[in-house]
Amino acid sequence: PPRASIRRQRQMCIRDRYQSEGVERLPRSSEIPFVALPVDVFTAIREMLAEYGLGDKDEEFFKDLGVRCGKAVVQRTGFKWESDDQLADALVSLWAEVGIGRLTAKDVDKGGVAAEVTDTVESLALGNVGDPSCFFTRGYIAGVVSELSGREHMTVEDQCVCEGHQKCVFTVIPI
């Protein structure tokens, strides 16, 4: 279905969820409620991990946090995707609701997605540190796609702003 159909389906899922919970009227907006975290929060978390002697766990921590957050956003909307067709459009549509960077995506063979993101939270917080470092974004994309498709996916960061590229490039594949 075209992107407008995806938005309509998502809005209907949200409406149905509220009605099943006994809410008589929808909130003023059918958008996903969220609190935008400033870049400083990610920096502070990294610093705290280091202070607690867990600095070597930051990749695992932020990736797992991203996966959980990505899955939670999809679960909250009740939105499910029955096929691998146009999975990228569904990802872009949900991504726009959250606003953690600018994402474009396209479907690739065998249920995968190729995604490009500019202005990730990590790249804004860290700048060019010489290594791929967008662990939360990588996990978030994997979580959203996994939950949408009903099967686990992993995300590989092929290029990263934190290593000097203009944008972060991710490949999402089923595992």
Side-chain angles (χ1 to χ4, degrees):
R3 190 168 294 169
S5 289
I6 294 168
R7 282 193 190 106
R8 200 170 324 114
Q9 181 182 359
R10 185 183 70 241
Q11 289 169 343
M12 288 171 47
C13 288
I14 292 169
R15 184 197 65 219
D16 292 346
R17 180 178 53 91
Y18 278 103
Q19 288 174 347
S20 70
E21 293 174 359
V23 177
E24 292 190 22
R25 70 176 186 75
L26 287 174
R28 296 181 78 179
S29 170
S30 62
E31 293 179 4
I32 301 164
F34 74 97
V35 175
L37 295 176
V39 170
D40 294 340
V41 169
F42 280 84
T43 303
I45 292 171
R46 281 185 192 278
E47 290 169 358
M48 287 185 71
L49 286 170
E51 286 173 18
Y52 284 93
L54 301 171
D56 60 333
K57 303 276 187 198
D58 66 338
E59 179 176 355
E60 181 181 353
F61 174 82
F62 280 108
K63 181 186 70 67
D64 290 349
L65 178 63
V67 169
R68 288 183 186 196
C69 291
K71 287 183 175 187
V73 165
V74 176
Q75 290 167 358
R76 183 158 178 81
T77 65
F79 191 63
K80 286 287 183 193
W81 202 248
E82 300 300 324
S83 76
D84 292 335
D85 294 336
Q86 297 182 331
L87 190 55
D89 285 342
L91 171 63
V92 170
S93 181
L94 281 169
W95 191 274
E97 297 290 334
V98 180
I100 54 173
R102 294 182 205 119
L103 178 132
T104 58
K106 65 181 179 179
D107 294 306
V108 294
D109 292 339
K110 300 181 180 158
V113 174
E116 295 180 355
V117 184
T118 56
D119 300 330
T120 67
V121 172
E122 293 100 335
S123 68
L124 293 172
L126 298 173
N128 185 347
V129 294
D131 293 309
S133 301
C134 295
F135 311 130
F136 176 82
T137 303
R138 192 176 85 205
Y140 191 87
I141 292 170
V144 168
V145 173
S146 295
E147 194 66 24
L148 281 171
S149 68
R151 61 185 182 158
E152 291 301 310
H153 284 70
M154 65 176 279
T155 303
V156 176
E157 189 169 14
D158 302 309
Q159 293 180 11
C160 184
V161 171
C162 293
E163 61 181 354
H165 294 281
Q166 294 291 347
K167 58 190 166 200
C168 296
V169 177
F170 300 92
T171 302
V172 188
I173 54 173
I175 51 176

